[in-house]
Amino acid sequence: MKINLANIKKAKNLLNKRECIAIPTETVYGIAGNAYSDIACRKIFKLKSRPKNNPLIVHYHDLKRLKNDCHLNSDFLKLYRKFCPGPLTFILNLKKNSKISKIVTNKKNTLAVRFPKHPVTRVLLERLKFPIAAPSANISSRVSAVTSNEVKDDFGEKIKYILEGGKSLIGVESTIIDLRKKPKILRLGGLEIKSIQKILKKKIFIDINPSKISAPGQLRVHYSPGIPIRLNVRKIKKNEAYLLIRKKNINKSNYFFLSRTGNLKEAAKNLYSTLRKIKKNNYNSIAVIKIPNKGFGRTINDRLLRASKF
Ligand code: TXA
Ligand code: MG
């Protein structure tokens, strides 16, 4: 992708002034602000109508600055070397003298950190004197945005600037792993658990539906396109959109394919934009065919299940 340095300069100037902007990442677009500034972080929560107790992920260019903010451990370093930059978010212990705004963490002593891979955002991060806090660029509890136009649809004039980065390559949020004690997955996402397992070579716990919510991405109602969703449907109702995973012989205007070949990675990439498209086309509800519950299929099913609780 061609990098437009004038755009990056504009983004940088706004962030330096403690404004919020939208940034592209390889997973989904984010609403970014200076993670060291209370003012900037408060603006993020306000823009998204996000509950104050839902902490933000902080995005770094590399380890250098993170060392000032968090305690690192050996599991983290192994995963960092293998997968970063990439679609993986780590929960670490915050250092006492860290400059991270208390608004980011809701005064907790842990921090979610990530090293996004998108080339435009990497150049931006490299040029900033602070890391950026960035939740997904959507209204709280709704479907994330994977293009600048989708960000515009959600925020309109309220967002000062959208840094253009094309369509997000992965299309679902990062996988979240808590590494403070035994490795524990808090959110399924853009990196498969089996890839993490191969590197850590130890049991990885999965805690994506806890009785006590530690990440609101774990909330049962989330990622909603704003209309009802029915899962594992073989027969659709009249006027329903049908979300399918691979080509069927018949093409109909209400059939929406996540992947023509049944490729689950491609399906994950197309998930959010297809849900948004269906809503835009004024369907009243969505029926989803059974999606294989393996690899990225697990992430897709996780998101659709939460979206169906709307
Ligand atoms: O791919 C991504 O992770 C995108 C891009 C923009 O980087 N960001 C994203 O952020 O999905 P957000 O805010 O939509 O989701 C972050 C999740 C939330 O469920 C939040 O509760 C959880 O991370 N989280 C943040 N800090 C946490 C912490 N200290 N402990 C546990 N969960 C945390
Ligand atoms: Mg989100």
Side-chain angles (χ1 to χ4, degrees):
M1 147 152 244
K2 220 171 147 254
I3 293 186
N4 180 327
L5 289 178
N7 287 351
I8 290 179
K9 200 167 169 195
K10 184 161 182 195
K12 180 181 160 186
N13 288 340
L14 286 164
L15 289 167
N16 281 341
K17 286 190 213 146
R18 292 177 283 200
E19 295 293 353
C20 295
I21 60 163
I23 56 161
T25 89
E26 76 281 21
T27 56
V28 298
Y29 273 68
I31 298 284
N34 177 348
Y36 292 159
S37 156
D38 291 351
I39 292 174
C41 293
R42 275 198 199 99
K43 285 181 186 166
I44 297 176
F45 279 87
K46 192 163 171 225
L47 252 177
K48 277 200 61 154
S49 313
R50 183 176 176 106
K52 289 200 176 66
N53 64 359
N54 188 357
L56 305 177
I57 299 179
V58 177
H59 298 63
Y60 290 83
H61 182 268
D62 55 48
L63 280 189
K64 249 186 288 152
R65 192 169 279 116
L66 176 66
K67 285 181 183 158
N68 302 327
D69 293 329
C70 285
H71 295 284
L72 310 185
N73 58 46
S74 64
D75 283 348
F76 165 78
L77 290 170
K78 280 184 204 156
L79 293 174
Y80 175 82
R81 281 190 205 110
K82 182 70 186 175
F83 299 116
C84 294
L88 184 58
T89 292
F90 308 93
I91 308 296
L92 298 171
N93 283 314
L94 202 57
K95 282 192 171 168
K96 276 224 165 68
N97 57 356
S98 142
K99 284 197 271 176
I100 293 291
S101 159
K102 299 269 184 291
I103 309 290
V104 166
T105 56
N106 191 30
K107 297 185 189 136
K108 284 198 176 49
N109 54 7
T110 64
L111 188 67
V113 307
R114 175 162 129 68
F115 306 86
K117 195 172 184 170
H118 196 293
V120 170
T121 290
R122 278 191 60 75
V123 174
L124 173 65
L125 281 168
E126 199 177 16
R127 291 172 179 216
L128 292 170
K129 294 204 163 63
F130 44 81
I132 50 190
S136 52
N138 54 279
I139 304 296
S140 208
S141 91
R142 293 303 178 90
V143 182
S144 299
V146 297
T147 64
S148 54
N149 277 334
E150 291 174 357
V151 178
K152 229 175 268 162
D153 282 347
D154 278 12
F155 295 98
E157 298 299 310
K158 279 196 270 177
I159 186 100
K160 287 250 153 64
Y161 184 59
I162 303 175
L163 183 56
E164 182 56 58
K167 186 170 177 179
S168 297
L169 280 178
I170 293 180
V172 286
E173 298 83 353
S174 58
T175 300
I176 302 182
I177 187 163
D178 186 345
L179 291 177
R180 291 171 303 147
K181 291 180 194 139
K182 290 177 182 158
K184 191 164 81 177
I185 301 288
L186 302 184
R187 178 173 75 182
L188 300 175
L191 184 66
E192 287 182 78
I193 298 173
K194 71 169 192 237
S195 312
I196 297 174
Q197 181 93 56
K198 261 191 214 154
I199 301 303
L200 290 187
K201 298 193 180 71
K202 56 168 119 168
K203 183 164 170 52
I204 296 174
F205 296 85
I206 300 180
D207 193 20
I208 55 175
N209 287 311
S211 47
K212 183 174 171 287
I213 304 288
S214 57
Q218 297 165 323
L219 286 174
R220 282 167 203 276
V221 184
H222 206 50
Y223 312 108
S224 168
I227 50 176
I229 295 187
R230 302 190 300 129
L231 303 179
N232 304 323
V233 175
R234 289 223 199 118
K235 220 172 158 205
I236 61 168
K237 293 179 190 163
K238 230 178 150 187
N239 302 326
E240 214 170 21
Y242 202 9
L243 194 62
L244 296 149
I245 181 76
R246 64 166 59 91
K247 193 176 167 63
K248 287 224 161 175
N249 291 334
I250 355 156
N251 268 332
K252 289 189 182 170
S253 61
N254 61 333
Y255 281 20
F256 295 84
F257 295 93
L258 289 178
S259 161
R260 287 277 169 181
T261 59
N263 179 315
L264 291 169
K265 195 170 181 178
E266 187 190 8
K269 176 179 175 177
N270 291 327
L271 177 67
Y272 291 148
S273 35
T274 309
L275 292 176
R276 280 175 180 264
K277 192 157 102 192
I278 292 172
K279 174 80 181 4
K280 256 194 165 166
N281 287 350
N282 290 323
Y283 286 96
N284 293 332
S285 62
I286 306 174
V288 186
I289 205 163
K290 191 175 168 77
I291 292 172
N293 204 35
K294 56 175 195 218
F296 287 103
R298 276 184 82 174
T299 305
I300 297 173
N301 283 327
D302 172 78
R303 301 299 192 266
L304 286 172
L305 183 65
R306 291 174 213 275
S308 73
K309 300 283 160 70
F310 174 70

